Amino acid sequence: MAYGLKYRFEWRSPMREKLLYQVVIYEEGYTGAVRPLYPSGEKIVVTQGSIDDNELVPIKPTEITLTLLCKEFNEPYASFYTLDPKKYRIIVTECTDVCTPKWVGYIATGDYSQPYAKPPYQVVVKANDGFGILKAMPYLDANDELFARDLTIRELLEFLLSPLDEEGLLRYVDIWDYEKV
């Protein structure tokens, strides 16, 4: 099923190069109008890896935290709480002369909370790059058997990441060539 654009906001970084960022959230199977998001507070916070990771950890998952302002009653952000870990795809794009996707992930569906208060109030939404989803994948070949063949590390990583890249949005896997494993 295809994703439809549901939410969008733009944000200009106040520091360094004052870059313009677009944050868009797609919902699987959604058709309808694009709704605005109202960023608040720190807007986008990116966390890479765990605090206890050492420098030799080869793959570090990333997480983005968005702080959003609910301005009206019945804000639909509660729909982010779902059992489908790939229902909401989020893309953060950096725009200079051309807009380039910098981060692609999924809203962490089990980690939503909303205060019992009258609007306006803040909601914190977290998204991850999907490595948690990959842990549960069996990676079977065409014969429904565990995948076993000689691959380069690049081919192996591209194969392992392919369930998260159904629409070709992930960046190219860039590593040195090593022997087949």
Side-chain angles (χ1 to χ4, degrees):
M1 186 172 279
Y3 285 89
L5 178 59
K6 188 166 187 177
Y7 298 104
R8 166 196 311 254
F9 79 84
E10 290 185 349
W11 172 68
R12 186 167 300 277
S13 172
M15 298 179 359
R16 293 186 207 112
E17 299 170 20
K18 300 186 187 311
L19 296 172
L20 178 66
Y21 293 93
Q22 289 181 348
V23 177
V24 293
I25 298 175
Y26 293 88
E27 182 179 351
E28 191 174 26
Y30 177 75
T31 57
V34 178
R35 301 174 185 172
L37 290 173
Y38 304 101
S40 178
E42 291 188 78
K43 286 133 180 112
I44 303 172
V45 176
V46 180
T47 307
Q48 184 176 27
S50 298
I51 197 163
D52 296 334
D53 286 347
N54 66 34
E55 64 275 2
L56 300 177
V57 173
I59 296 175
K60 295 183 181 186
T62 56
E63 179 180 86
I64 284 184
T65 303
L66 301 174
T67 305
L68 304 173
L69 186 65
C70 290
K71 296 172 93 177
E72 301 172 10
F73 283 106
N74 299 324
E75 287 285 353
Y77 303 141
S79 66
F80 291 154
Y81 190 74
T82 176
L83 296 176
D84 184 357
K86 290 174 66 178
K87 181 168 182 152
Y88 292 97
R89 172 179 265 175
I90 182 169
I91 301 173
V92 178
T93 305
E94 180 182 281
C95 297
T96 52
D97 294 336
V98 66
C99 292
T100 307
K102 291 294 184 178
W103 192 86
V104 178
Y106 299 92
I107 291 186
T109 55
D111 196 19
Y112 175 82
S113 66
Q114 179 175 321
Y116 292 109
K118 292 182 180 179
Y121 55 85
Q122 289 183 339
V123 170
V124 175
V125 177
K126 293 185 179 186
N128 60 56
D129 56 14
F131 280 112
I133 297 169
L134 293 176
K135 278 184 176 180
M137 299 254 176
Y139 295 104
L140 303 176
D141 64 12
N143 299 325
D144 284 338
E145 295 176 7
L146 285 178
F147 192 83
R149 69 173 226 239
D150 291 340
L151 298 171
T152 64
I153 292 176
R154 176 180 287 128
E155 290 170 333
L156 180 62
L157 287 174
E158 287 174 348
F159 174 74
L160 293 174
L161 293 173
S162 65
L164 298 178
D165 193 30
E166 296 162 355
E167 295 163 8
L169 294 174
L170 293 179
R171 288 178 274 179
Y172 175 73
V173 176
D174 189 20
I175 61 169
W176 297 319
D177 287 324
Y178 288 99
E179 297 296 319
K180 292 186 182 277
V181 291

